[in-house]
């Protein structure tokens, strides 16, 4: 790419990077270390040749004060990540981040809940305290109130009983409830207090980890609205903030692709046979004027964002791809779905997120990622028995023999049984073989020795958190 057109999002990204290079001490040092003159960043080609950054190489390598642009009092909030991949890390947020999040979340709430016209009880179940998820969501909802959304906000946290207490006390005064949650917490709420929530008009907005179309269908069933539009997925990261959101059109495309292998191949690059588990990325719309996204040669997403702690070409270790709406339309038409193509905005920007790669167990030199197991434990045939939470480990005995283990949480009142454990094991093997060529080689060589040992654990037993983000791989 050459000099960016004034109306192209890349022009905004280039101006932002030029500003960061002049105003952020830590980034200026990084450029100096790479022999780059900040004043020489003049074109998109220059931007694309800048070094990539990450939590380890940039955030943790510098003091928080050196990473910030502007004055200390421009920082509104200092909060930490959930620490799902290690030690929690602290991040600064200011009004610009809130404005960006509110602009995009306003679209989500407008489309799926009409919160500008419907009195809404908003329940933030992400943890508060030092954690950025709850604090950021609360700030965005307060901002949306100022912008005319009819929201009353409660922050009950993750305990299903506390959430239910709020609903029992306050929900009758509202036309609807919108619940913001990690997917396992949303499932907990419906498992433990489904009758209560079915008495209300409920919309669930989830983030923090991917969900399958089978999971979405299950939640709609548990809400008593099989054909509804009550589940939306948002995508973001502690580091870069809120990035993208599902729309009615992206959900329709993803749902259709879950039923048609040819469409799944055309849209997402993977096909499946009748007996296979369907593998799909998150499919969201994003605003490049807020978050500029590149894809490096290895398929990793690189984010450039502004704010009081701006980031340039920052890698969160998610793989993915970016598409403009016209390209999405072309894929749909080529796959025989012209009607779906009509609902895609040709000028919008879309993001495919295939999952994070920085939280892997290693078995026989094979990286094992959470996404390899999630389709198995979320399989519709297991929905009445499992919560969807799991912990995968590679355990080593005294003679250094490795065993791949999978601890799976049972739903309340469910007891371990050999049939369920065997079904999870077989589905996990199928998913591992389907997604990992390296695992297929090891499995072909070692046979049963390479297969996961499944252990069914009681609801809320040790390791399955209720007060934070679930860590799925150790």
């Amino acid at each position: 790419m050459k000099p960016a057109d004034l109306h192209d999002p890349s022009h905004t990204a280039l101006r932002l990077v030029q500003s960061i290079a002049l105003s952020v001490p830590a980034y200026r040092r990084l450029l100096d270390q790479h022999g780059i003159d900040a004043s020489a960043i003049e074109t998109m080609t220059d931007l694309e040749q800048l070094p990539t950054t990450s939590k380890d190489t940039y955030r943790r390598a510098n003091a928080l004060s050196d990473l910030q642009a502007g004055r200390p009092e421009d920082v509104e909030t200092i909060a930490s990540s959930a620490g799902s991949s290690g030690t929690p890390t602290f991040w600064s947020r200011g009004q610009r981040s809130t404005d960006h999040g509110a602009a995009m979340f306003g679209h989500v709430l407008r489309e799926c809940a009409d919160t500008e016209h419907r009195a809404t009880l908003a329940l933030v179940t992400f943890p508060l305290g030092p954690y950025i998820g709850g604090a950021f969501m609360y700030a965005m909802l307060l901002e949306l109130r100022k912008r005319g959304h009819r929201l009353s906000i409660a922050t009950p946290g993750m305990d299903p009983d506390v959430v239910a207490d709020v609903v029992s006390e306050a929900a009758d005064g509202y036309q609807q409830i919108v619940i913001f949650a990690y997917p396992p917490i949303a499932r907990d709420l419906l498992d433990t207090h489904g009758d209560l929530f079915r008495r209300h008009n409920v919309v669930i907005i989830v983030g923090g980890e991917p969900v399958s179309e089978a999971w979405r269908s299950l939640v709609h069933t548990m809400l008593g609205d099989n054909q509804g539009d009550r589940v939306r997925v948002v995508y973001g990261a502690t580091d870069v903030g809120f990035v993208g959101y599902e729309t009615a059109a992206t959900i329709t495309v993803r749902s259709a692709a879950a039923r048609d292998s040819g469409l799944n191949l055309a849209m997402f690059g993977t096909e499946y046979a009748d007996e296979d588990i369907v593998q799909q990325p998150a499919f969201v719309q994003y605003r490049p004027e807020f978050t500029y996204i590149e894809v490096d040669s290895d398929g990793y997403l690189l984010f450039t964002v502004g704010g009081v702690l701006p980031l340039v070409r920052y890698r969160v270790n998610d793989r993915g791809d970016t598409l403009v709406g016209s390209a999405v339309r072309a894929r749909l038409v080529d796959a025989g779905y012209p009607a779906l193509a009509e609902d895609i905005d040709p000028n919008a920007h879309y993001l495919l997120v295939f999952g994070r790669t920085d939280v892997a167990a290693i078995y026989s030199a094979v990286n094992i990622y959470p996404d390899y197991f999630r389709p198995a434990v979320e399989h519709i045939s297991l929905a009445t028995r499992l919560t969807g939470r799991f912990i995968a480990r590679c355990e080593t005995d005294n003679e250094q023999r490795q065993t791949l283990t999978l601890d799976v949480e049972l739903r309340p009142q469910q007891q371990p049984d050999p049939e369920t454990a065997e079904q999870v094991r077989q589905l996990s093997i199928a998913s591992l073989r389907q997604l990992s060529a390296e695992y297929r080689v090891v499995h072909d060589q070692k046979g049963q020795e390479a297969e996961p040992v499944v252990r069914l654990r009681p609801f809320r037993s040790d390791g399955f958190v209720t007060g934070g983000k679930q860590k799925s791989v150790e």
Side-chain angles (χ1 to χ4, degrees):
M1 295 178 74
K2 297 308 177 188
D5 182 89
L6 289 176
H7 300 290
D8 192 297
S10 58
H11 175 80
T12 302
L14 182 60
R15 300 283 86 80
L16 174 62
V17 171
Q18 291 168 335
S19 172
I20 293 169
L22 295 175
S23 63
V24 178
Y27 193 70
R28 187 64 173 266
R29 282 198 302 270
L30 179 70
L31 295 181
D32 289 343
Q33 291 165 6
H34 285 81
I36 298 171
D37 181 357
S39 64
I41 305 171
E42 297 179 340
T43 68
M44 287 307 296
T45 300
D46 297 331
L47 187 152
E48 291 162 359
Q49 293 175 350
L50 294 174
T52 60
T53 57
S54 69
K55 185 183 293 185
D56 288 333
T57 64
Y58 186 65
R59 168 59 193 93
R60 289 175 175 164
N62 292 282
L64 195 60
S65 58
D66 283 351
L67 294 160
Q68 295 168 179
R71 304 166 300 169
E73 59 266 32
D74 293 334
V75 176
E76 290 185 344
T77 304
I78 297 174
S80 75
S81 64
S84 58
S85 61
T87 304
T89 305
F90 284 87
W91 299 88
S92 306
R93 287 284 183 267
Q95 185 62 39
R96 179 172 177 174
S97 298
T98 303
D99 287 343
H100 289 180
M104 290 189 288
F105 242 104
H107 178 93
V108 176
L109 292 173
R110 197 174 294 116
E111 185 180 81
C112 72
D114 193 22
T115 52
E116 288 173 319
H117 300 100
R118 295 172 62 84
T120 303
L121 176 61
L123 302 176
V124 179
T125 71
F126 300 119
L128 287 169
Y131 300 113
I132 203 163
F136 191 31
M137 183 60 61
Y138 182 61
M140 282 196 295
L141 292 174
L142 286 176
E143 180 64 30
L144 286 171
R145 276 181 53 87
K146 298 175 184 176
R147 300 183 184 192
H149 290 256
R150 298 177 62 188
L151 299 168
S152 297
I153 310 161
T155 57
M158 291 183 166
D159 187 324
D161 293 337
V162 177
V163 178
D165 286 344
V166 175
V167 172
S168 298
E169 182 71 23
D172 287 340
Y174 294 88
Q175 294 171 275
Q176 63 185 352
I177 302 170
V178 178
I179 301 171
F180 302 87
Y182 295 130
I185 302 302
R187 177 67 188 274
D188 277 356
L189 292 172
L190 296 176
D191 278 342
T192 55
H193 299 285
D195 289 342
L196 172 64
F197 286 102
R198 280 188 290 273
R199 294 202 294 269
H200 299 276
N201 183 21
V202 174
V203 172
I204 298 177
I205 298 177
V206 295
E209 59 186 71
V211 302
S212 63
E213 287 306 303
W215 189 93
R216 192 196 309 272
S217 297
L218 171 65
V219 169
H220 280 132
T221 299
M222 296 176 81
L223 288 170
D225 187 14
N226 292 356
Q227 304 303 315
D229 180 18
R230 295 174 176 238
V231 178
R232 292 295 174 100
V233 175
V234 296
Y235 169 69
T238 299
D239 325 37
V240 297
F242 179 41
V243 175
Y245 50 90
E246 287 186 325
T247 67
T250 65
I251 292 171
T252 301
V253 170
R254 197 171 184 259
S255 178
R259 300 187 300 269
D260 182 342
S261 178
L263 177 58
N264 207 64
L265 178 62
M267 276 302 307
F268 307 131
T270 57
E271 57 184 337
Y272 52 88
D274 289 342
E275 68 275 8
D276 287 342
I277 295 171
V278 180
Q279 302 292 340
Q280 295 179 308
F283 179 34
V284 299
Q285 187 171 329
Y286 75 101
R287 304 271 290 272
E289 68 271 28
F290 294 160
T291 310
Y292 186 73
I293 306 175
E294 303 168 75
V295 182
D296 72 11
S297 58
D298 295 318
Y300 287 100
L301 301 173
L302 303 177
F303 299 90
T304 296
V305 296
V308 295
L309 201 162
L311 298 168
V312 177
R313 310 196 79 218
Y314 185 88
R315 185 171 123 171
V316 300
N317 286 333
D318 278 341
R319 293 181 187 271
D321 199 6
T322 59
L323 294 167
V324 294
S326 56
V328 175
R329 281 188 162 201
R331 292 187 183 190
L332 291 170
V333 170
D334 289 346
Y337 285 84
L340 293 186
E342 289 297 318
D343 292 330
I344 296 293
D345 182 348
N347 299 311
H349 293 254
Y350 296 89
L351 178 66
L352 306 179
V353 186
F354 291 96
R356 186 156 296 185
T357 62
D358 60 349
V359 282
I362 301 175
Y363 174 79
S364 293
V366 176
N367 288 333
I368 304 295
Y369 301 110
D371 287 347
Y372 292 178
F373 292 107
R374 190 166 282 112
V377 299
E378 291 183 357
H379 198 272
I380 192 65
S381 64
L382 296 165
T384 60
R385 289 171 279 173
L386 305 181
T387 66
R389 288 192 185 89
F390 63 92
I391 303 171
R393 299 181 179 90
C394 182
E395 297 183 350
T396 304
D397 64 16
N398 292 335
E399 296 180 1
Q400 299 303 302
R401 288 189 293 262
Q402 291 183 321
T403 301
L404 185 60
T405 65
L406 183 64
D407 289 352
V408 182
E409 187 184 42
L410 292 164
R411 291 183 68 182
Q413 283 78 56
Q414 290 290 315
Q415 299 299 319
D417 66 278
E419 292 80 10
T420 297
E422 179 61 17
Q423 188 176 357
V424 173
R425 193 178 75 87
Q426 291 297 338
L427 287 168
S428 297
I429 294 167
S431 184
L432 285 163
R433 289 186 61 86
Q434 188 177 333
L435 291 174
S436 173
E438 293 85 358
Y439 179 82
R440 284 199 299 274
V441 171
V442 171
H443 188 231
D444 288 342
Q445 292 173 344
K446 293 189 173 186
Q448 188 173 353
E449 182 183 342
E451 295 172 357
V453 174
V454 174
R455 302 180 295 213
L456 302 179
R457 301 302 193 192
F459 183 65
R460 293 189 181 177
S461 55
D462 288 347
F464 295 101
V465 302
T466 58
K469 190 174 178 181
Q470 177 69 42
K471 186 173 183 180
S472 297
V473 178
E474 294 183 356

